[in-house]
Amino acid sequence: MMNPDFSASRACAQFASSLQYQDIPDQVIDFVKRDLLDWLGCAIGGSASPASRPIKSVSLLLGGVRQAEVIGLSSQNVVTSAACNAYFGHILEMDDVDKESISHPATVVMPAALAVGAWNASSGKDVITSIIAGFEVMLRIGASITPEHYKIFHTTATTGIFGASVAAGKILGLDEKRLLWALGNAGTLSCGLWQFLRDGGMSKFLHTAHAAGQGVYVALLAREGFSGATHILEGEQGFFKGYALKDVNCDKFEDFFKVWRSGNVSFKPYPCCRHTHSAIDAALDLREKLKGRKLKSIKLFSYSTAQQVAGKRSPRDQREAKFSTAYCVASAILRGLPSEKHFSEEALQDKEVRNLENLIKIEIDDDLNKVVPTNWPHRIEAITDDGERLVSQVWSPKGDPENELDWPAVESKFKTLTEGFITTATQEQVIEICRNFENQNSISDLFETINSTFQPSY
């Protein structure tokens, strides 16, 4: 239950307004710089994808003043810039994920911070500080309402707007009162429903675009004196009452400056829903144990949230395949390490993969459920055609903090995601900028470097 004398909303505004670069542990700064490179790879690859065309077309149609750079597009106003880059970063399903809040912070917070930072001529240190402020607020809000909230709402969207508003507001120099207003108006614009997954829609990209763009918008309004709810989280008609779907314990908002959630986010090595990744790792282990033999039976033990989000069977297109644990497992067993080409229309028609997917039986395991969201585990039990029983259990998939991707691994992922879309020389320049981002004097230089050789795939 919430303590009626404690305001989570005000705690967020107090933290964000007072945070200074020197307050942040070195390891958290290093992690966020890695996360920036990771997100840029996702956004460059996403902007090169045909799925980016709708928002590019609409942005050009609406036009307006040019204030901040967009990957693969001419400069746009600061709200549209944040929205476009956020949209691109979520297309490939390769962006970061926080386990406890079940959300993707980079692709909503970073575009907001970078857009306002470029327009405001901010330093690299200022942008890093604003990103971490946004992460810390967003991830606490998300962690306080999951997993019940996540059954209906896409947490990246609903909490991402809070993180984006804080990041933008921090760069704009908003004081505590105005940051509180920005949070209040972020909460009243918060939205994002999962129904699109059932119906095969593209709404997930819009969720991140809305969160980032509108986060910037409410911060700009707050700067101009536009007030908002000052108890948006804990109020009687506020976010927790309407969206949490459970009683909320606000203890998570009392450890700012003590616990740094920004440094505890997971990277995604595979281009599909993070809920499939421990299953994929188990499948890759099983592939090694099979030594080319066939399977007579295969059972996948999963947890409820994974099947709620990634339980699609017999996927009809790329998006459905990326949210199909069974397809991902079958593909990994037969093809090895997942890549973008494994989700192509041609790959989806592979009869051998389809037959193996149909063989997989999925069962919810209560013991696995108990460790979520601390872990997102899967277990595979299979019988080979010669009668051997094989078991593979994965508790922490590759990319989790317990099994993290270091700089070389993130750099390799970045190069893979951007290969053919920017030159090798540009890749190296972007890596160097991210490694030394605290020394960056112009945020615009980052996007100008990317766009100097950017070539889309369509």
Side-chain angles (χ1 to χ4, degrees):
M1 295 293 290
M2 289 187 289
N3 177 354
D5 299 322
F6 177 78
S7 170
S9 308
R10 189 166 298 280
C12 291
Q14 288 174 340
F15 164 76
S17 63
S18 62
L19 179 66
Q20 300 297 316
Y21 182 82
Q22 56 267 28
D23 297 328
I24 306 166
D26 290 343
Q27 65 269 27
V28 175
I29 292 171
D30 182 76
F31 183 92
V32 168
K33 291 191 295 180
R34 262 185 289 155
D35 203 357
L36 174 60
L37 180 63
D38 184 79
W39 173 76
L40 284 168
C42 298
I44 293 167
S47 181
S49 165
S52 71
R53 284 186 290 192
I55 197 169
K56 287 180 178 177
S57 297
V58 171
S59 297
L60 292 173
L61 175 67
L62 296 176
V65 63
R66 295 185 176 183
Q67 297 171 325
E69 291 75 11
V70 177
I71 297 172
L73 192 66
S74 59
S75 296
Q76 301 292 310
N77 71 69
V78 71
V79 171
T80 302
S81 170
C84 286
N85 287 330
Y87 178 114
F88 302 155
H90 213 40
I91 289 174
L92 299 182
E93 288 293 338
M94 289 289 281
D95 47 318
D96 68 355
V97 61
D98 176 66
K99 289 187 293 183
E100 190 174 4
S101 65
I102 322 183
S103 66
H104 306 270
T107 204
V108 284
V109 174
M110 288 183 178
L114 292 166
V116 180
W119 175 53
N120 201 50
S122 302
S123 70
K125 285 185 178 179
D126 288 341
V127 171
I128 289 173
T129 305
S130 74
I131 288 170
I132 290 172
F135 270 42
E136 294 298 325
V137 168
M138 172 184 173
L139 298 181
R140 279 173 171 77
I141 296 172
S144 69
I145 58 177
T146 53
E148 285 80 1
H149 175 87
Y150 191 71
K151 295 174 182 177
I152 305 294
F153 299 103
H154 183 196
T155 317
T156 303
T158 56
T159 67
I161 192 170
F162 289 106
S165 70
V166 165
K170 182 69 177 174
I171 288 187
L172 291 171
L174 301 188
D175 60 15
E176 180 185 324
K177 179 174 73 172
R178 281 175 166 74
L179 277 171
L180 198 55
W181 289 347
L183 284 166
N185 288 314
T188 210
L189 294 179
S190 172
C191 59
L193 296 164
W194 277 123
Q195 184 60 37
F196 74 89
L197 271 181
R198 296 175 179 268
D199 300 330
M202 297 173 69
S203 308
K204 204 164 190 271
F205 316 147
L206 179 61
H207 286 179
T208 55
H210 174 84
Q214 294 306 297
V216 172
Y217 189 63
V218 296
L220 289 169
L221 285 171
R223 188 181 68 163
E224 300 304 316
F226 188 86
S227 63
T230 57
H231 293 278
I232 191 61
L233 294 176
E234 69 280 356
E236 284 301 311
Q237 293 176 298
F239 182 81
F240 291 154
K241 286 287 187 181
Y243 284 28
L245 308 181
K246 69 170 188 175
D247 288 337
V248 174
N249 185 331
C250 286
D251 287 351
K252 291 180 173 62
F253 298 92
E254 299 189 66
D255 61 6
F256 283 116
F257 293 104
K258 298 175 185 175
V259 175
W260 296 90
R261 293 172 181 267
S262 304
N264 201 39
V265 176
S266 301
F267 292 116
K268 295 174 68 174
Y270 313 130
C272 45
C273 177
R274 183 62 176 172
H275 290 295
T276 69
H277 284 209
S278 61
I280 290 170
D281 285 343
L284 293 172
D285 178 62
L286 186 70
R287 174 183 168 88
E288 291 297 315
K289 294 174 178 176
L290 277 171
K291 297 182 173 61
R293 291 173 293 174
K294 300 293 184 182
L295 287 171
K296 184 184 298 183
S297 68
I298 178 169
K299 183 175 286 189
L300 176 67
F301 293 88
S302 185
Y303 54 97
S304 299
T305 303
Q307 292 312 299
Q308 170 203 329
V309 176
K312 181 69 69 175
R313 299 302 298 254
S314 303
R316 298 165 296 180
D317 56 32
Q318 182 187 70
R319 284 192 297 279
E320 289 190 355
K322 291 188 173 192
F323 286 86
S324 173
T325 308
Y327 175 82
C328 290
V329 165
S331 180
I333 290 172
L334 293 172
R335 298 166 175 154
L337 281 171
S339 69
E340 192 67 23
K341 67 182 180 181
H342 293 162
F343 298 92
S344 67
E345 288 187 19
E346 181 180 0
L348 286 173
Q349 302 310 313
D350 186 316
K351 289 185 178 179
E352 190 177 8
V353 173
R354 288 291 193 180
N355 289 339
L356 182 55
E357 184 210 335
N358 290 334
L359 186 65
I360 296 171
K361 298 186 185 302
I362 298 179
E363 184 176 313
I364 301 299
D365 187 309
D366 289 339
D367 289 335
L368 300 185
N369 265 337
K370 290 174 184 176
V371 301
V372 178
T374 302
N375 297 94
W376 293 6
H378 278 95
R379 182 175 74 259
I380 296 177
E381 297 182 3
I383 305 295
T384 64
D385 56 4
D386 59 2
E388 184 179 1
R389 180 175 181 269
L390 302 176
V391 178
S392 182
Q393 169 79 64
V394 174
W395 294 96
S396 298
K398 187 177 179 181
D400 268 9
E402 304 87 352
N403 190 13
E404 70 172 13
L405 300 188
D406 58 11
W407 270 106
V410 174
E411 289 172 13
S412 177
K413 176 184 171 182
F414 172 80
K415 290 177 180 178
T416 299
L417 290 175
T418 60
E419 185 177 5
F421 306 138
I422 57 177
T423 64
T424 301
T426 299
Q427 288 177 332
E428 295 297 339
Q429 285 178 281
V430 173
I431 291 170
E432 187 65 18
I433 288 172
C434 290
R435 273 190 172 272
N436 299 283
F437 198 76
E438 67 274 24
N439 300 317
Q440 194 71 14
N441 293 319
S442 172
I443 308 307
S444 296
D445 287 350
L446 171 62
F447 290 97
E448 289 170 2
T449 298
I450 293 168
N451 284 337
S452 67
T453 64
F454 178 84
Q455 291 291 333
S457 60
Y458 56 89

